[in-house]
Amino acid sequence: MSSTTNREQPIFSTRAHVFQIDPVTKKNWIPASKHAATVSYFYDATRNVYRVISVGGTKAIINSTITPNMTFTKTSQKFGQWADSRANTVYGLGFASEQNLSQFAEKFQEVREAARLARERSQDKTELTNPALNITSQQIVPSPIISSNGPGDEKLFRSQSAEMELTTERERVKKMLSEGSVCEVQWEAEFFSLQDNNNKLVAALREANTNVEKWKKQLAGYQEEAEKLQHRVTELESQTTQEPNAEPGKDELGERLQDLEMLLKSKEEEILLLKGQKPDLMELESEREEMLQRLQEFEERNQGLEQQLQRAEQQLRDSVSERDRVQGEIGRAGEALDVKICELNDLRQGLARLLDSN
């Protein structure tokens, strides 16, 4: 971890999804990473400072120094947030369970209390060792401001103004690039969410299709078996009517006939039960058609998002090329400015020598 040194030691770690508040709207959450990341409390024994740090990929997505005036707020059973005025942002954490959220909140309270005690001890120690700190700010004599009305100062001021304009242009280009990156991250997050929903719908649709086919096969098997039993009962009845004098096997045939009739009756009951479940199959069919329609809508929406993502990438490439062009112009302007400054210095030195010689 590049943001921590050997003097800092981790005192607590957990896993959570990291978010930051949208700097523009101050309402929406922007995911800082695609997956859950490790969030840890670190303690710097040398400076007596506590920090919350999380690294996503190669960069730190959380680097927040805990101060006594910070507050960790639970906004739901698995989500909490705190504001960091130094970083000028609000961090949000989504946990896998309510227990993980409670553990993190308790540790935040402990660390905040420890930071408060550390600040009080530091203030007491400073007051004891540095009594000169009681001097009021009115007793400090301000340093004199050196001014000059020479002929070269006006040109130098104009050069400084041009340099300030170039610096403002650089900041504007950086802001454009950062806004493009934020839009791209939002579109990617929405695209991944839609992809996840699409996969869930496809899995549910496949499961419904499997159940429908299985129930259809089972119903067909029961109907076929019932037809065979009905055919067998008809054959036995015809045999009993054709052989009225076969007294020795009459009882056996009668018992067998009763067994077959009972079996047939049970199968007919099962068939009626399955026919009673037929509306459920119709409902599953309608749900299947609805899911297919929703899946098609999600695919169309995904295509639209892909086109938006392509347009955003094109805009980002245009912004990068524009940034390179502006940087080139800034470099050329800087070189020209350096030349002008050197010329002005030479002119001032020449004027100074001329005044000395006169």
Side-chain angles (χ1 to χ4, degrees):
M1 184 183 298
S2 60
S3 60
T4 60
T5 59
N6 293 329
R7 65 190 180 187
E8 286 186 304
Q9 299 295 329
I11 58 177
F12 178 79
S13 296
T14 185
R15 299 278 297 178
H17 290 272
V18 181
F19 299 86
Q20 289 188 13
I21 200 70
D22 190 342
V24 179
T25 63
K26 300 296 183 181
K27 294 179 180 180
N28 301 326
W29 289 105
I30 299 175
S33 61
K34 297 179 181 178
H35 308 286
T38 301
V39 183
S40 303
Y41 288 96
F42 278 84
Y43 174 62
D44 187 348
T46 305
R47 297 186 301 159
N48 205 6
V49 171
Y50 295 87
R51 290 198 297 167
V52 179
I53 295 176
S54 178
V55 177
T58 59
K59 64 179 182 178
I61 56 179
I62 297 179
N63 187 1
S64 178
T65 301
I66 303 300
T67 59
N69 58 349
M70 285 185 177
T71 302
F72 184 81
T73 305
K74 298 180 183 179
T75 57
S76 67
Q77 292 183 350
K78 298 181 182 180
F79 194 87
Q81 66 185 45
W82 80 95
D84 190 339
S85 58
R86 295 184 180 180
N88 194 21
T89 187
V90 179
Y91 294 105
L93 296 179
F95 295 89
S97 64
E98 186 176 359
Q99 182 181 3
N100 293 339
L101 173 60
S102 300
Q103 291 176 353
F104 187 88
E106 291 173 0
K107 184 59 66 174
F108 194 97
Q109 183 71 18
E110 294 176 5
V111 169
R112 188 184 69 171
E113 185 67 18
R116 184 185 64 80
L117 295 175
R119 174 180 289 185
E120 290 178 356
R121 287 196 296 268
S122 177
Q123 290 177 352
D124 294 341
K125 184 177 179 181
T126 304
E127 291 176 357
L128 291 173
T129 55
N130 292 327
L133 291 177
N134 295 324
I135 299 174
T136 60
S137 59
Q138 288 81 1
Q139 293 173 325
I140 299 175
V141 180
S143 58
I145 300 175
I146 300 174
S147 62
S148 175
N149 296 323
D153 291 338
E154 183 178 357
K155 295 181 180 179
L156 183 59
F157 177 77
R158 291 177 181 174
S159 301
Q160 291 175 352
S161 299
E163 186 175 359
M164 290 175 63
E165 291 178 359
L166 292 176
T167 303
T168 305
E169 183 66 20
R170 287 195 194 102
E171 295 296 330
R172 187 181 68 81
V173 173
K174 288 181 181 178
K175 184 177 180 182
M176 281 173 47
L177 292 176
S178 64
E179 289 177 354
S181 300
V182 169
C183 292
E184 185 179 1
V185 168
Q186 288 178 341
W187 286 331
E188 285 184 357
E190 187 174 358
F191 177 72
F192 287 133
S193 176
L194 289 173
Q195 250 185 352
D196 190 19
N197 292 334
N198 189 8
N199 293 333
K200 291 180 180 178
L201 286 173
V202 170
L205 184 60
R206 288 176 180 172
E207 184 178 359
N209 287 335
T210 303
N211 292 334
V212 168
E213 294 298 328
K214 182 174 68 175
W215 289 337
K216 285 182 178 179
K217 290 179 180 179
Q218 188 176 4
L219 180 59
Y222 285 154
Q223 287 179 346
E224 185 179 357
E225 188 175 356
E227 289 176 358
K228 290 180 180 179
L229 290 173
Q230 186 70 35
H231 185 64
R232 182 60 177 167
V233 169
T234 305
E235 290 180 353
L236 291 174
E237 288 178 351
S238 62
Q239 288 178 5
T240 53
T241 54
Q242 290 175 1
E243 300 178 359
N245 297 323
E247 293 294 336
K250 186 176 181 180
D251 296 335
E252 184 179 354
L253 288 174
E255 292 176 358
R256 189 173 180 185
L257 181 61
Q258 289 179 358
D259 294 337
L260 289 173
E261 286 178 351
M262 292 177 62
L263 182 60
L264 179 62
K265 187 176 180 181
S266 63
K267 293 298 180 183
E268 287 177 349
E269 290 176 354
E270 291 182 0
I271 289 173
L272 291 175
L273 181 61
L274 288 174
K275 285 182 178 180
Q277 293 178 353
K278 191 173 181 181
D280 295 337
L281 298 178
M282 298 295 292
E283 185 178 353
L284 286 173
E285 286 289 341
S286 62
E287 290 180 358
R288 176 174 173 271
E289 293 177 358
E290 184 180 356
M291 284 182 178
L292 285 173
Q293 185 177 359
R294 291 180 62 186
L295 181 60
Q296 185 177 1
E297 292 176 356
F298 277 120
E299 289 177 352
E300 293 176 356
R301 189 174 179 185
N302 285 342
Q303 291 177 359
L305 286 174
E306 288 178 356
Q307 292 176 359
Q308 291 180 3
L309 185 59
Q310 291 175 0
R311 288 196 295 270
E313 290 176 351
Q314 182 63 35
Q315 291 178 359
L316 183 59
R317 287 194 291 269
D318 295 340
S319 299
V320 170
S321 62
E322 180 68 16
R323 181 198 63 183
D324 295 337
R325 185 185 66 78
V326 171
Q327 284 183 348
E329 292 179 358
I330 289 173
R332 290 191 294 271
E335 292 175 359
L337 185 61
D338 292 338
V339 172
K340 295 295 182 181
I341 291 173
C342 291
E343 292 177 356
L344 287 173
N345 287 331
D346 294 340
L347 180 61
R348 291 185 67 178
Q349 291 176 2
L351 290 174
R353 289 194 298 268
L354 183 60
L355 290 173
D356 293 339
S357 63
N358 292 333

